[in-house]
Amino acid sequence: MDLNLVWFILVAVLLIGYSILDGFDFGVGILHLFTKEDRDRRVNLNAIGPVWDGNEVWLLTGGGALFAAFPIVYATVFSAFYLALMLLLLGLIGRAVSLEFRGKVESKKWKTVWDNVFGIGSLLPALLLGVAFGNILRGIPLDSTMTYTGGFFNLLNPYSVLVGVLSVAIFTMHGAIYLTLKTEGARKLKLQEVASKWWMAVVVIYFLVTFYTYFEARYLFDGILGNPLFWLFFILLMVSIIYVPVGLKAGKTGLTFLASSLMIALMFSLAAVSLFPKLVPSLTNHDFSLTIYNASSSQQTLMNMFIIALVGMPLVIGYTIFVYRVFKGKVILDEHSY
């Protein structure tokens, strides 16, 4: 058994799970910035209130898995993206605090401040995660010792920023679709329109990113057309993209949310297939890239972690399913709500 490959897949699954679950949290927060009525804002908060902290477990688990399985990648990426990661944490902390503090004082100004913190604390991570992923696809400057040789502003290149914009658009669409599951009446109809508009933005930006990728990171296309996994993921991605507006128009919110989740998973999967076996490509020289083989822990460590994962992963998945079953249905506001 190729444990390096197994852990490449496991880390990808954890990051995909985080993107889907915390992705709609980010989307709801971004939409919160444009929500005017206080009741609608409370609905936004209570739609994610019971699940947002559980969703972030996937990020912690993914980070822990990356540290254990590919420690050199963990060290290099966290060194290269240090300032960006601090801003990411600032956004996540601000979002969490705003959920708890908003309703503590009956003041319009107080609530407005925390509404803005909640929105910005969702927008900032959505953008930064996309920019980080764009830099991974493009490659970052690494020398022969696998050390990052660039600075913070090297990360703010046009390609990566465009991927960041795509990330914001995807999460906003995803969040709008999630809110259609939690609302009804006029608000639900309005959110269906909002989701449709963001879907169009996603399609346009995704096409631009794909076109730009061919010139900025052409190595991702090397031999890809001969990979059956690429064609499987590509066909499923096209089906999921096409279904989103169809499902929204038909009012099938559950299936639409599933299609939106598949879009995110399949976009990520296509990128992973293109990157494999690289984890962090080197922009300086591809021979300096970090791969699943030259940046991994020992085989014994990978095996020990795999045994732990066989126990831990079902627990994380089971907990997630349980929480969503308990809190399924429309948002009902009462005195205990945010």
Side-chain angles (χ1 to χ4, degrees):
M1 181 170 58
D2 189 340
L3 290 171
N4 301 71
L5 173 60
V6 169
W7 274 102
F8 177 80
I9 295 172
L10 285 176
V11 171
V13 168
L14 289 168
L15 294 179
I16 288 171
Y18 175 71
S19 300
I20 291 172
L21 296 175
D22 218 21
F24 70 72
D25 289 346
F26 293 145
V28 170
I30 295 168
L31 291 170
H32 196 76
L33 290 170
F34 307 100
T35 305
K36 297 180 181 180
E37 298 295 329
D38 184 67
R39 188 182 187 284
D40 291 341
R41 289 181 172 182
R42 291 187 65 202
V43 169
N44 293 346
L45 297 173
N46 285 277
I48 69 168
V51 297
W52 69 267
D53 47 354
N55 293 341
E56 292 191 354
V57 168
W58 288 75
L59 177 63
L60 297 175
T61 308
L66 185 66
F67 172 75
F70 305 107
I72 299 175
V73 173
Y74 183 91
T76 300
V77 168
F78 274 64
S79 297
F81 300 161
Y82 187 81
L83 180 56
L85 288 170
M86 291 302 101
L87 292 173
L88 172 68
L89 288 175
L90 181 64
L92 293 176
I93 293 169
R95 186 183 65 162
V97 170
S98 66
L99 282 164
E100 301 299 331
F101 278 23
R102 183 184 186 273
K104 299 301 182 183
V105 177
E106 285 299 321
S107 165
K108 186 176 180 180
K109 289 183 179 179
W110 174 269
K111 290 182 177 180
T112 299
V113 167
W114 292 112
D115 282 333
N116 289 331
V117 171
F118 177 62
I120 296 171
S122 301
L123 174 62
L124 189 60
L127 178 63
L128 290 173
L129 287 170
V131 171
F133 191 59
N135 276 288
I136 294 299
L137 293 176
R138 177 177 179 264
I140 60 176
L142 299 175
D143 62 19
S144 58
T145 63
M146 303 178 184
T147 302
Y148 179 66
T149 58
F152 174 73
F153 291 103
N154 292 101
L155 305 176
L156 300 178
N157 52 82
Y159 175 77
S160 298
V161 171
L162 183 60
V163 176
V165 173
L166 174 63
S167 174
V168 170
I170 291 172
F171 289 154
T172 307
M173 177 201 71
H174 195 49
I177 294 172
Y178 176 74
L179 283 175
T180 64
L181 294 170
K182 312 300 288 184
T183 56
E184 51 192 352
R187 180 85 198 282
K188 180 178 179 179
L189 294 174
K190 178 63 177 176
L191 286 165
Q192 287 174 329
E193 294 178 5
V194 171
S196 295
K197 291 177 181 178
W198 280 103
W199 172 83
M200 289 188 284
V202 169
V203 171
V204 172
I205 300 171
Y206 186 66
F207 173 79
L208 291 175
V209 167
T210 303
F211 181 76
Y212 198 173
T213 301
Y214 182 76
F215 297 97
E216 191 72 14
R218 187 172 296 185
Y219 75 94
L220 292 172
F221 295 87
D222 292 343
I224 196 67
L225 296 181
N227 190 327
L229 275 180
F230 167 79
W231 289 109
L232 174 62
F233 293 153
F234 177 77
I235 292 170
L236 291 175
L237 175 60
M238 292 301 105
V239 171
S240 63
I241 289 175
I242 292 170
Y243 183 81
V244 168
V246 175
L248 285 170
K249 189 174 182 179
K252 297 180 178 179
T253 52
L255 289 175
T256 306
F257 182 73
L258 177 60
S260 177
S261 300
L262 283 173
M263 278 181 60
I264 295 172
L266 291 165
M267 286 179 181
F268 198 100
S269 298
L270 280 173
V273 168
S274 300
L275 276 170
F276 183 82
K278 296 182 179 69
L279 289 168
V280 183
S282 172
L283 196 61
T284 308
N285 186 326
H286 278 287
D287 291 337
F288 302 157
S289 299
L290 302 179
T291 72
I292 64 172
Y293 297 107
N294 69 7
S296 71
S297 297
S298 67
Q299 292 298 298
Q300 185 62 52
T301 299
L302 294 179
M303 177 55 75
N304 292 339
M305 288 297 299
F306 180 64
I307 294 171
I308 294 172
L310 289 177
V311 177
M313 285 289 286
L315 291 176
V316 172
I317 295 171
Y319 162 80
T320 302
I321 293 173
F322 173 76
V323 169
Y324 279 88
R325 285 182 64 86
V326 170
F327 292 102
K328 68 180 180 179
K330 308 298 182 182
V331 171
I332 299 175
L333 298 177
D334 56 31
E335 65 274 13
H336 301 296
S337 304
Y338 287 109

